[in-house]
Amino acid sequence: MESSLAALLATALAEIPTAADEAALEELRLKYLGKKGSLTAISAGMRDVPPDRKAAVGAALNETRTGITAALDARKAEQIAAKDAKEAEGIDLTLPGRPVAPGALHPLTQVLDRAVGILRRMGFALATGPEVETEWHCFDALNTPADHPARHESDTFYFDSGHLLRTHTSSVQVRTMQTQTPPLRIIAPGSAFRRDEIDATHLSAFTQLEGLYVAENVSLGQLKGTLEAFFRALFGDTTEVRFRPHFFPFTEPSYEVDVKLSPKGQAPRWVEILGCGMVDPAVFQAICDARGDDVYHPDKVTGFAFGMGLERLAMIQWGIPDIRHLIENDVRFLGQFV
Ligand code: DAH
């Protein structure tokens, strides 16, 4: 029996290294080690081995199995290595990699991040609201009468349901006061929509940043101080800021705020940047009616609000001459903000 084992091992070791592929190798594994294979057949002879030789023959049997298994594994490793080498053929692993061009944030995102960063450091928390709004949140609660031009079909995108695409982020003021109690200090960046003719200074979908502060005894002085600090953080310590009386339905008094800036290479001039004012008592009253309590009663709280267009801010910051550049995704334009 030991001599047949030795002969079997010799044949196997000669044959296995010639297995051409995976299938041929599997065939050899079955031929030598399978249930119906040669080794099984020979080991049936163990029955007839005299007891004093069983240990020696058993050891020879194991050695043969180990030898064949090792040969099968070695051939398998060779096959895998050959396959890998073939796949890598023609690939020069020593070549330098292709450089990845660095990306950058969109200029609008850069302005947004800066503005939000400054205001958050001043204590304003982020708030959000839906872009599809009710007329009540967008207009009525903000003291905007039914015949106000902003509410006209030609200015606002209406759905058949009576909902609309919010024309300003001021609706988030209303949403926040409905769900939170004063004192309250929030900013709400987000999209706004108007049926404007698209040109160098208008888009039908644009971005605003809204602010609202409500507490006891909030003053116009605080509004001025807050916005001046904001613009100085944004445009530099010596930036001049000017408040011009204006009208908004939801604030009284209301102002437009100009900042004195020198757009690239030009003489300094006043640039209008935002609308603001002290929250109109009528707005607080609408909130009280909706909430069914009086935590926002105009005798108890006052507040200020402001809203600005972020595309405009980006255009001023970088001297971008046409607002449409901001939505065209032209890499020749965007590549300048890396
Ligand atoms: N919602 C106004 C607009 O879109 C901007 C604005 C003005 C917002 C005055 C305010 C504010 O919060 O107090 O033109």
Side-chain angles (χ1 to χ4, degrees):
M1 199 170 148
E2 278 149 302
S3 60
S4 13
L5 285 172
L8 179 69
L9 183 59
T11 325
L13 293 189
E15 197 177 11
I16 289 170
T18 67
D21 54 25
E22 221 178 307
L25 193 63
E26 175 62 8
E27 221 168 84
L28 290 179
R29 192 185 66 79
L30 292 171
K31 174 177 165 187
Y32 291 110
L33 302 182
K35 257 191 203 156
K36 293 178 185 153
S38 319
L39 197 67
T40 317
I42 294 175
S43 55
M46 268 305 259
R47 257 177 288 142
D48 307 323
V49 175
D52 61 326
R53 302 220 46 250
K54 271 209 158 54
V57 174
L61 203 64
N62 279 340
E63 241 168 65
T64 310
R65 177 184 300 279
T66 314
I68 295 174
T69 306
L72 289 167
D73 288 349
R75 183 61 187 154
K76 185 165 201 169
E78 275 174 21
Q79 286 179 347
I80 290 172
K83 204 170 146 198
D84 287 351
K86 194 152 186 221
E87 275 171 12
E89 226 165 66
I91 299 177
D92 183 351
L93 297 176
T94 66
L95 282 176
R98 290 194 189 91
V100 178
L105 292 175
H106 189 278
L108 196 59
T109 309
Q110 293 187 34
V111 172
L112 174 71
D113 284 355
R114 278 197 66 209
V116 168
I118 294 166
L119 290 161
R120 287 192 62 172
R121 282 194 293 282
M122 293 169 82
F124 288 86
L126 279 170
T128 55
E131 292 173 357
V132 176
E133 262 301 5
T134 65
E135 280 198 72
W136 186 80
H137 286 92
C138 201
F139 296 127
D140 297 295
L142 289 165
N143 195 34
T144 309
D147 60 357
H148 193 279
R151 299 183 67 151
H152 202 270
E153 291 264 354
S154 63
D155 286 309
T156 302
F157 294 104
Y158 284 95
F159 295 93
D160 290 341
S161 63
H163 287 76
L164 48 80
L165 290 179
R166 69 181 180 197
T167 56
H168 52 186
T169 46
S170 303
S171 53
V172 185
Q173 291 186 31
V174 178
R175 295 243 166 221
T176 313
M177 285 192 279
Q178 276 185 286
T179 53
Q180 295 178 30
T181 51
L184 177 122
R185 192 157 31 183
I186 57 116
I187 44 172
S191 298
F193 308 86
R194 288 182 199 168
R195 292 184 66 166
D196 277 333
E197 206 67 61
I198 294 174
D199 61 24
T201 51
H202 295 87
L203 295 174
S204 52
F206 55 103
T207 318
Q208 287 191 328
L209 188 140
E210 190 80 15
L212 173 69
Y213 176 33
V214 182
E216 283 174 23
N217 299 318
V218 173
S219 70
L220 182 57
Q222 286 173 317
L223 169 61
K224 270 195 90 189
T226 301
L227 290 178
E228 279 169 4
F230 171 70
F231 285 121
R232 291 189 180 136
L234 196 64
F235 293 119
D237 284 344
T238 54
T239 305
E240 286 179 72
V241 182
R242 157 174 107 175
F243 288 68
R244 260 185 305 107
H246 196 74
F247 174 80
F248 296 104
F250 32 91
T251 42
E252 179 61 35
S254 305
Y255 302 89
E256 275 188 340
V257 178
D258 304 333
V259 175
K260 201 170 196 178
L261 296 167
S262 336
K264 273 202 179 129
Q266 296 174 30
R269 62 181 170 90
W270 290 104
V271 184
E272 178 213 317
I273 302 215
L274 61 69
C276 67
M278 300 305 291
V279 177
D280 194 301
V283 174
F284 285 137
Q285 191 54 57
I287 299 294
C288 287
D289 294 346
R291 290 177 57 100
D293 65 20
D294 63 358
V295 291
Y296 282 98
H297 195 281
D299 289 345
K300 291 188 177 169
V301 292
T302 52
F304 66 68
F306 57 88
M308 66 190 110
L310 289 176
E311 281 83 0
R312 198 176 156 70
L313 220 53
M315 290 170 78
I316 292 163
Q317 170 120 23
W318 283 291
I320 299 168
D322 191 318
I323 195 171
R324 290 168 292 197
H325 288 318
L326 290 169
I327 58 164
E328 280 165 351
N329 281 342
D330 186 331
V331 286
R332 291 169 301 180
F333 171 73
L334 295 176
Q336 300 174 59
F337 300 92
V338 175

